[in-house]
Amino acid sequence: MLRDIALRIAQTLNCLNGTTGDDCTSCQRIERRIHPDVHFIEVGGERKMISIEQIRDLVSAATMRPYEGRSKVFIIDPADALSPSGSNSLLKTLEEPARDTTFILLTRSPDLLLPTIRSRAQSIYIGDERERDRLQQIAAFESDEDRDTLANELRAALYRFADKRDSVALLAAATIVAGQEEVKDAMALLAAILTSGDEKLATIPREKLLAAADGVLAAIRAMTINADPRLTVEAALSQLVG
């Protein structure tokens, strides 16, 4: 469904008859994925991530004017497959896009996008109310009480660091996360707290909070190859120091 909607947007932007998609030559070529101004950035071959080389090609192509259509459209699917280096390479282009250029980032897991990417994009939710309620629960804990308890423990550690710059507090936060049965959910919750705008964390520069959150989300992906969650979270939270 997400891919179909992205294609319809691309057709609307480039339809020769100015409709939301019809049988004109442009719409047909977009449907067949052969339009020169509509680009698909996907996980290729046996890769698990969208590579930085693919993003560099995107950034280069995004500086060019449309070849024959009214607008260049870049569809990244799934956007949560962007590597951290690829995400960082895309930031400036998303922040200052060329004229007549549209980027569509598709994902079923928006919480896995780096906060720096989300802050430069307009979020549009597509789905029924039940699915939205499920996705809005950042971590799938046994109960709201369990989630709130963990959130309070993580906030307490982060508050201690914000107040006293006690690095031991960051190690404590990493240990708390690593001790959870659903480690990835706990990591997602930690990233959410870092980007929540909590006033008690305001003494930490926002760019450091975003960098740490980016690192935590990157660590979720790294869990497939690194079995030590405590070390990965510690490395992410080290962005707050200094």
Side-chain angles (χ1 to χ4, degrees), residues 48-114:
K48 295 183 178 180
M49 307 290 289
I50 293 173
S51 68
I52 189 172
E53 289 78 13
Q54 289 174 277
I55 298 304
R56 286 171 178 164
D57 289 343
L58 178 159
V59 170
S60 177
T63 63
M64 310 295 287
R65 295 296 305 275
Y67 180 71
E68 66 177 47
R70 292 196 303 271
S71 178
K72 296 192 303 297
V73 181
F74 296 88
I75 300 172
I76 303 177
D77 181 25
D80 51 275
L82 285 165
S83 66
S85 56
S87 294
N88 290 330
S89 295
L90 186 60
L91 291 179
K92 185 171 180 60
T93 301
L94 286 181
E95 189 170 11
E96 300 177 1
R99 183 180 177 183
D100 302 323
T101 303
T102 300
F103 298 94
I104 303 175
L105 282 65
L106 303 179
T107 179
R108 297 183 183 279
S109 304
D111 296 315
L112 293 183
L113 297 180
L114 297 186

Side-chain angles (χ1 to χ4, degrees), residues 7 11 24-36 38 40 67-68:
L7 285 173
Q11 289 172 329
C24 74
T25 304
S26 178
C27 289
Q28 289 181 19
R29 296 177 74 187
I30 292 172
E31 183 72 29
R32 293 163 56 194
R33 297 179 57 164
I34 59 173
H35 195 290
V38 179
F40 294 84
Y67 180 71
E68 66 177 47

Side-chain angles (χ1 to χ4, degrees), residues 10 26 137 158-159 161 175 179 184 204 222 236:
S26 178
Q137 293 181 358
L158 293 173
Y159 292 165
F161 174 77
T175 300
K184 291 184 179 180
I204 304 173

Side-chain angles (χ1 to χ4, degrees), residues 126-168:
I126 299 170
D128 59 36
E129 291 295 324
R130 183 181 299 176
E131 179 69 5
R132 181 175 66 181
D133 290 342
R134 185 184 70 80
L135 291 174
Q136 284 180 340
Q137 293 181 358
I138 295 172
F141 295 97
E142 290 291 331
S143 67
D144 290 342
E145 182 178 356
D146 289 342
R147 182 176 184 275
D148 291 344
T149 297
L150 175 58
N152 289 335
E153 291 177 356
L154 292 174
R155 287 192 187 97
L158 293 173
Y159 292 165
R160 190 162 79 248
F161 174 77
D163 183 45
K164 300 181 179 179
R165 289 299 188 271
D166 181 4
S167 297
V168 174

